Amino acid sequence: MVNGLEKYFDRTFFVPEGIICWPHVSYFDAMVIFVSLKQTPFDEVIFGLDSISFINFGKSQKEIVDLIFQHFKDFNPKQENSNKIITHEVPIYYDMNGKDLAALSISLQMDKEEIIYKHQHSSLQVAMIGFLPGFIYLKGLDEAIISNRKKIPSPRIAPGSVGIAETFTGIYPIQSPGGWNIIGFCPIKLFDVQKKPAVNLKIGDDFRFYSITAQEYAKLNAHG
Amino acid sequence: MVRSTTAFMQVLETGVYASVQDGGRFGYLHWGIPHSGFMDKALAALANELVGNPEDAPCIEFYKNNLSIRFSKSAFVAIAGIQVSFSINDAIFSGTQSILIPKGGVLKIISLPHHNWAYLAIFGGFNSEEILGSRSMMKGVTTLDKLYKGMTIAYTHTTQVSMDLSISLGKEKEKDINVIPGPEYTLLSKSIQIKVFKKPLMISPQSNRQAYVLQGFDQEIPDAQIKSGYTPAGTIQLTSAGKMFVLMNDGQTTGGYYRIGFIDKEDIGRLSQIPFGDKVQFKMIEDIKL
């Protein structure tokens, strides 16, 4: 294997139930590995922000290592990545009256308008889906608006809420408690188990928010 | 000959928490969808076995007592729980058993003294909503995340009834829960490693199908954070504030806290049944079977 993935075999971490975890995987490799898994011999592959875990139920960890080796034997990152880059254009209603945005404005010492501008002009990319069903992590946030999570999580965050924390933007698919700083709301359902597939995003896709008004948000709101 | 038609059960009372569960929903962790499924697989399998169902057929999983259901047509069911007692109309029964509920009969769970979760299986099966290959109720996946008072669930009414069976289940002896080290265990200082599982920890009453909250450690671990990575059911998380959780079947699929250990697969069901408010002793197994 001379495709740059050898190093991950050395770092393999074993987790119970025949789970293999590769920590510290580069984003580029995660992107191309994700694409390569259209035809997957694995029962589950879980992408973290810098890790990938492989599961095959009922198989030993050695058998999974062999499967991984087989799957990636002829793997060519450059070829896998020749797929066209997809850009998702997604509406957002930036809530200028939101509490979290006001708090961010103080902690970042930046006007609310500037925070929004910097968010909207960040080159966002899909990093992973995880945590909750359909919770989307986007990377590539403008460094000037990197923030900490809220010290005390909000007990109830509305579905469609868009928050920022650390270097990520997250989109809440369902009502949930959460600690991200909410800056706006996305009216469309990016994740819907009634649809096939439930989600149309893949790791590495570009993601761009376009701003809509409160009225447009109300009209488009699919969260009910 | 088996004749089958659709019948309905109406949920009169849910108790604290009840939901339809089955063997689980597999293959969607990469969308953030946990496996869900029975908290105590062995007990649910027994309930199913008592009515002749496959072991991972859907059951109603209920917490403690007060679940109450009316059946529109006769139903052959099994109730499995350690020293569970229940009534059908005015008659009282105790112990794990299969039994015929007559047309219009009302089942009510009276008590489940020692455990958290028990199961109601039905011959023919529940016809509740199936999403992504499973009927396990899960917030953000199925339309309903649990049973609600007044709702109805379709089931298959059959005329075939095998013999009523009852099984005597004793309270299990308390044993340590085995833990294998997680990826971030070695990032803890030696003194914390020794301390973290030394004393029994209390399972907080705030625990649920997402996570069991452990109380009694509470030592701050500065900067105990990772980039969000996979957290299987059974992951023991330790936060920088010193809070500990065991992620359970409906738990988050990835997390940013230290994963200091994983509950041995064989012990997850037993852990799930330790009553909230009781203490649990974890035991680290260093030599892992790979």
Side-chain angles (χ1 to χ4, degrees):
Chain A
M1 198 181 291
V2 280
N3 52 23
L5 300 183
E6 306 83 4
K7 56 184 177 287
Y8 297 131
F9 283 89
D10 300 337
R11 297 178 196 164
T12 295
F13 192 96
F14 296 92
V15 179
E17 277 204 76
I19 300 163
I20 309 299
C21 174
W22 284 355
H24 312 303
V25 172
S26 77
Y27 182 63
F28 178 81
D29 285 344
M31 210 162 88
V32 291
I33 287 169
F34 188 87
V35 173
S36 85
L37 290 168
K38 266 181 271 176
Q39 301 281 316
T40 175
F42 309 105
D43 291 333
E44 302 263 20
V45 181
I46 307 99
F47 288 77
L49 289 175
D50 71 342
S51 63
I52 303 179
S53 301
F54 302 88
I55 305 180
N56 277 79
F57 305 111
K59 284 211 161 61
S60 74
Q61 288 171 328
K62 182 176 177 309
E63 286 171 312
I64 301 178
V65 169
D66 290 346
L67 268 181
I68 294 174
F69 188 81
Q70 276 300 318
H71 181 74
F72 293 114
K73 190 165 45 104
D74 305 318
F75 177 77
N76 180 340
K78 288 211 180 76
Q79 197 184 322
E80 296 285 353
N81 200 37
S82 63
N83 290 25
K84 255 193 276 166
I85 291 173
I86 295 168
T87 303
H88 302 273
E89 307 241 346
V90 173
I92 185 171
Y93 160 55
Y94 287 112
D95 181 8
M96 299 309 288
N97 300 318
K99 271 190 288 187
D100 291 3
L101 184 58
L104 272 181
S105 173
I106 293 166
S107 66
L108 294 171
Q109 299 188 317
M110 194 185 286
D111 289 345
K112 292 191 226 177
E113 289 76 9
E114 199 177 345
I115 295 173
I116 295 312
Y117 181 87
K118 288 197 185 309
H119 184 257
Q120 209 185 340
H121 290 84
S122 299
S123 320
L124 301 177
Q125 280 180 295
V126 177
M128 64 173 257
I129 301 173
F131 171 51
L132 298 173
F135 187 99
I136 296 153
Y137 286 76
L138 305 168
K139 66 189 283 288
L141 194 64
D142 187 316
E143 285 182 12
I145 54 170
I146 291 175
S147 61
N148 292 322
R149 279 166 201 242
K150 286 187 281 189
K151 281 235 166 63
I152 302 162
S154 305
R156 211 167 282 153
I157 293 185
S161 294
V162 178
I164 59 174
E166 294 155 15
T167 60
F168 296 96
T169 298
I171 308 171
Y172 284 83
I174 50 176
Q175 184 186 291
S176 139
W180 296 52
N181 305 290
I182 304 304
I183 55 171
F185 301 97
C186 174
I188 59 172
K189 281 187 177 178
L190 294 166
F191 176 81
D192 185 349
V193 289
Q194 305 292 348
K195 287 190 194 145
K196 275 188 185 169
V199 61
N200 217 355
L201 304 169
K202 65 178 196 309
I203 295 172
D205 285 355
D206 285 341
F207 201 98
R208 217 182 68 79
F209 283 111
Y210 63 91
S211 182
I212 58 171
T213 64
Q215 288 76 14
E216 288 167 320
Y217 173 79
K219 210 181 287 172
L220 289 172
N221 187 6
H223 298 290
Chain B
M1 197 184 80
V2 180
R3 282 191 304 123
S4 66
T5 53
T6 298
F8 293 91
M9 59 181 75
Q10 185 175 26
V11 178
L12 304 177
E13 295 291 340
T14 61
V16 171
Y17 193 93
S19 61
V20 174
Q21 296 295 332
D22 58 16
R25 183 176 285 109
F26 300 96
Y28 303 99
L29 288 174
H30 62 287
W31 287 345
I33 298 179
H35 288 158
S36 299
F38 306 126
M39 292 290 268
D40 186 344
K41 284 190 174 63
L43 189 59
L46 177 63
N48 273 321
E49 193 185 321
L50 286 168
V51 291
N53 286 344
E55 64 176 23
D56 55 358
C59 289
I60 290 178
E61 178 184 275
F62 52 94
Y63 176 79
K64 294 285 184 192
N65 57 350
N66 284 343
L67 174 72
S68 177
I69 293 173
R70 182 191 290 124
F71 294 77
S72 71
K73 291 181 179 167
S74 66
F76 183 52
V77 305
I79 290 113
I82 311 290
Q83 294 175 21
V84 63
S85 65
F86 57 94
S87 61
I88 295 172
N89 297 332
D90 293 329
I92 292 173
F93 303 85
S94 57
T96 293
Q97 57 194 285
S98 58
I99 192 162
L100 183 74
I101 295 181
K103 181 181 175 180
V106 173
L107 167 74
K108 186 177 167 70
I109 306 300
I110 298 169
S111 80
L112 183 65
H114 302 302
H115 276 178
N116 297 321
W117 310 102
Y119 295 89
L120 167 68
I122 184 164
F123 174 62
F126 297 99
N127 301 327
S128 62
E129 182 188 36
E130 182 177 327
I131 299 278
L132 301 173
S134 168
R135 295 188 203 272
S136 287
M137 289 179 162
M138 171 68 204
K139 190 177 177 187
V141 180
T142 52
T143 308
L144 295 178
D145 56 341
K146 58 181 181 178
L147 298 195
Y148 288 89
K149 187 172 174 171
M151 71 178 283
T152 55
I153 303 172
Y155 66 96
T156 305
H157 162 74
T158 72
T159 53
Q160 187 195 43
V161 168
S162 47
M163 229 189 317
D164 289 2
L165 292 168
S166 76
I167 284 189
S168 161
L169 294 178
K171 198 182 168 203
E172 273 184 79
K173 271 207 202 109
E174 282 174 28
K175 277 190 298 190
D176 294 350
I177 298 285
N178 288 332
V179 169
I180 65 170
E184 285 76 53
Y185 180 68
T186 49
L187 301 183
L188 299 173
S189 69
K190 274 274 176 285
S191 64
I192 298 284
Q193 285 183 18
I194 291 164
K195 200 179 155 191
V196 73
F197 294 125
K198 196 171 178 188
K199 279 196 232 152
L201 298 164
M202 191 186 89
I203 298 179
S204 156
Q206 283 156 26
S207 300
N208 54 38
R209 283 184 51 90
Q210 281 93 53
Y212 279 24
V213 181
L214 302 172
Q215 288 176 342
F217 178 68
D218 290 320
Q219 181 167 337
E220 285 192 27
I221 314 287
D223 304 319
Q225 271 190 43
I226 57 165
K227 289 201 170 166
S228 273
Y230 180 40
T231 50
T235 302
I236 305 175
Q237 288 185 317
L238 179 61
T239 76
S240 51
K243 302 281 174 219
M244 274 170 81
F245 305 89
V246 184
L247 295 179
M248 301 301 280
N249 302 27
D250 289 349
Q252 58 191 65
T253 58
T254 58
Y257 296 129
Y258 272 13
R259 298 163 294 183
I260 58 168
F262 299 107
I263 307 291
D264 187 349
K265 186 186 166 192
E266 305 296 319
D267 286 354
I268 292 183
R270 197 155 52 82
L271 172 70
S272 80
Q273 293 286 24
I274 296 175
F276 300 165
D278 277 15
K279 285 188 171 174
V280 54
Q281 178 68 59
F282 292 108
K283 190 176 137 201
M284 183 69 89
I285 327 171
E286 297 289 351
D287 54 333
I288 315 157
K289 287 168 287 177
L290 292 180

